[in-house]
Amino acid sequence: AQSVAQPEDQVNVAEGNPLTVKCTYSVSGNPYLFWYVQYPNRGLQFLLKYITGDNLVKGSYGFEAEFNKSQTSFHLKKPSALVSDSALYFCAVRGTDKLIFGTGTRLQVFP
Amino acid sequence: DAGVIQSPRHEVTEMGQEVTLRCKPISGHNSLFWYRQTMMRGLELLIYFNNNVPIDDSGMPEDRFSAKMPNASFSTLKIQPSEPRDSAVYFCASSFFWDSRRPQETQYFGPGTRLLVL
């Protein structure tokens, strides 16, 4: 069965430092992976997705994600964090007919 | 360009009352999804439609919940009667045709309706 795991409930990082939000997945077949961000009292906003091709995927707001097939991971990264990046981040994998979401990781960027 | 539109944004009601949530998908999208988000259960898919036809309603919690999509630009999620445990944020999302043969499609979410049942 397809699944995703976000091992960290919260990630804290200082503004200007690089950030990583972790995601691992389990699928049968080719993985189709997504990252969404949820700001307070807002809906989920699509950040980026991996379908095929380059392992480094670039998305919105300066975020990127690295697909690693051997480690079954799809970690979200940003070279320099902003306070405004503080939000809830969800990793998702495409199941047979559903998007399967992780439990979310709260990113807190401190000034 | 307008994204997914949901109304109302907030709803407070009393137990036993009927609640209707509304959604307008992105123009041109063929698929519409209803999700529920709670602290305890995270994001749950309730039901989704392709071309206005319900495809998978296995996530609908019980008969008190019903969803309709009378046309390509409008959907409702109704709870009757409502109960305190229905309190949650309900999201609508839309995409181009959602099918196992098109795994690259992206779902776009609305801002959600925050429901509180007293």
Side-chain angles (χ1 to χ4, degrees):
Chain A
Q2 290 90 343
S3 65
V4 290
Q6 294 182 246
E8 301 158 317
D9 289 337
Q10 179 151 333
V11 170
N12 299 316
V13 64
E15 187 174 32
N17 283 2
L19 70 87
T20 299
V21 183
K22 295 180 180 177
C23 172
T24 59
Y25 66 89
S26 174
V27 296
S28 54
N30 294 323
Y32 299 90
L33 298 156
F34 300 77
W35 275 103
Y36 285 83
V37 59
Q38 184 178 22
Y39 298 101
N41 300 316
R42 303 282 293 275
L44 278 72
Q45 295 181 31
F46 169 70
L47 278 179
L48 50 81
K49 66 182 176 184
Y50 172 81
I51 302 301
T52 187
D54 288 342
N55 289 343
L56 188 64
V57 180
K58 294 190 182 297
S60 307
Y61 312 123
F63 283 93
E64 58 190 25
E66 186 172 8
F67 172 70
N68 188 316
K69 188 173 183 178
S70 62
Q71 297 186 3
T72 62
S73 66
F74 189 54
H75 299 334
L76 182 70
K77 301 182 178 185
K78 188 173 182 180
S80 179
L82 299 172
V83 172
S84 57
D85 293 330
S86 299
L88 188 58
Y89 290 80
F90 289 94
C91 180
V93 65
R94 177 66 187 262
T96 306
D97 62 350
K98 297 178 182 179
L99 263 187
I100 299 164
F101 286 89
T103 51
T105 298
R106 188 163 299 281
L107 173 66
Q108 190 71 47
V109 182
F110 295 95
Chain B
D1 91 70
V4 176
I5 299 172
Q6 291 187 247
S7 65
R9 294 293 311 275
H10 303 272
E11 178 81 27
V12 180
T13 190
E14 293 187 345
M15 183 173 63
Q17 297 298 305
E18 178 180 290
V19 174
T20 299
L21 311 181
R22 297 173 176 81
C23 175
K24 177 179 170 57
I26 292 171
S27 178
H29 280 183
N30 317 92
S31 299
L32 183 139
F33 310 80
W34 283 102
Y35 287 87
R36 179 171 66 177
Q37 185 182 38
T38 61
M39 289 292 292
M40 292 297 294
R41 301 172 68 93
L43 266 167
E44 304 173 274
L45 176 66
L46 301 178
I47 185 171
Y48 83 93
F49 297 82
N50 277 345
N51 292 331
N52 315 335
V53 176
I55 303 301
D56 184 351
D57 66 354
S58 60
M60 295 287 263
E62 47 198 278
D63 292 346
R64 297 183 298 105
F65 286 70
S66 63
K68 294 182 180 179
M69 193 165 185
N71 58 62
S73 58
F74 183 67
S75 177
T76 59
L77 178 67
K78 188 172 293 187
I79 309 172
Q80 166 64 15
S82 58
E83 297 183 2
R85 59 193 168 118
D86 302 331
S87 297
V89 182
Y90 291 82
F91 290 108
C92 177
S94 72
S95 75
F96 290 111
F97 196 82
W98 191 260
D99 182 89
S100 59
R101 293 163 293 182
R102 300 167 59 91
Q104 73 277 15
E105 295 302 337
T106 300
Q107 292 183 20
Y108 295 91
F109 284 73
T113 295
R114 187 172 297 273
L115 173 65
L116 178 61
V117 183
L118 302 173

